[in-house]
Amino acid sequence: MTADNYGFDTLAIHAGQDPDPRTGAVVPPIYQTSTYAQDAVGSPRLGYEYSRSGNPTRDALQECLAAIEGGRRGLAFASGLAAEDTLLRTVCRPGDHVVIPNDAYGGTYRLFSKVAERWGLSWTAAPLDDLDAVRAALRPGLTKIIWAETPTNPLLNIADITALADLAHESGALLAVDNTFASPYLQQPLTLGADVVIHSTTKYLGGHSDVVGGGLVVADAGLGDELAFHQNAMGAVNGPFDAWLTLRGIKTLGVRMDRHCDNAERIVGYLSEHKKVASVLYPGLDTHPGHETAAKQMSRFGGMVSFRAAGGRDQAIEICNRAKLFVLAESLGGVESLIEHPGQMTHLSAAGSALEVPADLVRLSVGIETVDDLLADLEQALG
């Protein structure tokens, strides 16, 4: 199934998920097994021999991921960071170089600065909305990946995917785009020239805060084969029940994202007028510096909203602590609304570095509750 033949919601519901041929079950079974009986030595049935190497439930998820991102191959992992690590160690070697966003997700920054750097991989942080700065950060012959997030986490900056793809390919590098914040429903980087799409499937794809996972989708089948080899060799795969939960979440991704966006737009309008809010960070605002680029490459602007408290760090923390319906928790993309203080929570690993986030920043993952209830909660939290 491809986007050439079917719409997004049809792919989300059906790609990789044909009725079970033996029983007719409409939902793919959970193949909760570690190993498989073989018909003869060297003749595994349907190619399955061990569930690290292949599992029918995970294969269904991988096929669905590829379909909804418009890619040639999808791969599922135990977490988003496991997917990132596998990509880095497939494409790069010690001595190579990567350009990352200067406001990257804290876990991504930690992976580069505390893990990959010790392995011999160098990196440079640059504002990816400034092509001249990205160009200056490239190291000819050494840079193997331009690593993008758009929108970024948590500052919601926007990078021009097509322009970055052109720049990467001119220098002999790949463009990898973390599409977690937008989801494939709002943005498909491979169709804009990216080589690899990265997901924390924990977030919008799973959608219910009940499963951890990651994904890679690639445009080139050869790169897909290399990644699949490393997926098996490194072993950070997700289990069949996790794959099944993620597939279940993807089925409703489109309708959920519509509500996430509707609610976020109402909340942005409210926060933009509130005297205790210094500024609102949301690419759907005309005043956002990346608004035009976002409008070009996204169908809508997503359910993530950040704002800076007019009263500084202490007020930002107080807002987080006073919220009731907005749950004080890390992560994002679930049906329930979440609030957090990135400086002390998801991005604490970047504290003291050039990627440290503002201390007065509050991040909202806007859920799909009745929006008037969410607005009332923000009203009392802001005092």
Side-chain angles (χ1 to χ4, degrees):
M1 298 183 72
T2 69
D4 294 335
N5 301 317
Y6 295 102
F8 181 90
D9 290 314
T10 302
L11 293 173
I13 294 168
H14 292 286
Q17 301 170 76
D18 292 336
D20 178 55
R22 189 170 71 87
T23 66
V26 172
V27 176
I30 303 171
Y31 285 88
Q32 194 68 44
T33 184
S34 61
T35 192
Y36 306 82
Q38 300 190 23
D39 294 327
V41 173
S43 299
R45 193 174 306 171
L46 300 178
Y48 292 107
E49 54 188 17
Y50 187 59
S51 273
R52 185 192 68 247
S53 305
N55 177 279
T57 315
R58 187 167 73 243
D59 285 349
L61 171 59
Q62 294 181 151
E63 184 176 339
C64 187
L65 288 173
I68 61 176
E69 279 288 6
R72 295 290 299 276
R73 187 165 188 172
L75 298 161
F77 296 85
S79 69
L81 282 168
E84 293 186 8
D85 184 45
T86 302
L87 173 60
L88 285 176
R89 290 200 275 169
T90 300
V91 174
C92 301
R93 301 290 183 271
D96 287 341
H97 175 257
V98 179
V99 177
I100 70 171
N102 67 343
D103 57 344
Y105 163 56
T108 298
Y109 167 74
R110 181 177 57 225
L111 176 64
F112 277 95
S113 66
K114 305 298 184 183
V115 180
E117 189 173 299
R118 294 175 60 190
W119 180 62
L121 184 67
S122 62
W123 54 276
T124 302
L128 297 192
D129 55 356
D130 182 343
L131 292 178
D132 289 335
V134 177
R135 189 175 289 107
L138 293 170
R139 298 181 185 175
L142 294 178
T143 302
K144 295 297 187 285
I145 303 174
I146 296 178
W147 189 286
E149 295 175 17
T150 183
T152 60
N153 178 8
L155 296 178
L156 294 163
N157 287 317
I158 300 296
D160 187 323
I161 295 172
T162 300
L164 285 178
D166 291 342
L167 189 57
H169 299 157
E170 288 170 8
S171 63
L174 301 177
L175 175 63
V177 177
D178 187 330
N179 201 31
T180 298
F181 264 32
S183 87
Y185 183 68
L186 303 181
Q187 177 175 269
Q188 295 182 327
L190 297 181
T191 67
L192 299 170
D195 300 286
V196 186
V197 169
I198 305 156
H199 277 286
S200 170
T201 59
T202 308
K203 311 305 194 295
Y204 285 110
L205 293 175
H208 294 78
S209 302
D210 57 7
V211 63
V212 173
L216 298 174
V217 183
V218 296
D220 177 72
L223 177 57
D225 290 342
E226 293 181 44
L227 288 166
F229 172 84
H230 283 79
Q231 178 195 41
N232 179 50
M234 295 164 67
V237 296
N238 63 353
F241 185 51
D242 291 347
W244 184 88
L245 284 171
T246 306
L247 271 173
R248 184 190 64 170
I250 289 173
K251 288 176 183 287
T252 59
L253 178 62
V255 292
R256 285 188 286 107
M257 290 307 300
D258 283 336
R259 175 64 74 85
H260 285 298
C261 292
D262 289 344
N263 284 359
E265 289 167 8
R266 285 281 304 279
I267 285 170
V268 166
Y270 166 78
L271 292 173
S272 297
E273 301 296 326
H274 202 287
K275 63 182 180 181
K276 292 190 177 181
V277 175
S279 63
V280 179
L281 312 179
Y282 187 69
L285 288 170
D286 292 343
T287 54
H288 189 289
H291 174 71
E292 290 186 8
T293 301
K296 178 180 67 175
Q297 62 192 25
M298 300 175 70
S299 58
R300 293 184 73 180
F301 302 104
M304 299 302 299
V305 179
S306 293
F307 66 92
R308 301 184 70 170
R313 172 186 176 275
D314 289 346
Q315 187 203 10
I317 292 173
E318 182 183 3
I319 292 168
C320 293
N321 288 337
R322 286 170 59 94
K324 296 177 181 178
L325 191 55
F326 278 87
V327 180
L328 179 62
E330 298 188 359
S331 198
L332 59 103
V335 293
E336 63 287 306
S337 293
L338 305 179
I339 190 170
E340 68 134 356
H341 184 259
Q344 293 193 43
M345 295 174 70
T346 53
H347 290 68
L348 181 60
S349 61
S353 76
L355 279 72
E356 183 174 11
V357 300
D360 58 3
L361 190 72
V362 176
R363 191 190 75 179
L364 304 177
S365 174
V366 180
I368 66 172
E369 301 96 334
T370 302
V371 70
D372 289 339
D373 296 331
L374 296 175
L375 291 168
D377 189 40
L378 287 174
E379 178 70 17
Q380 68 83 23
L382 285 159

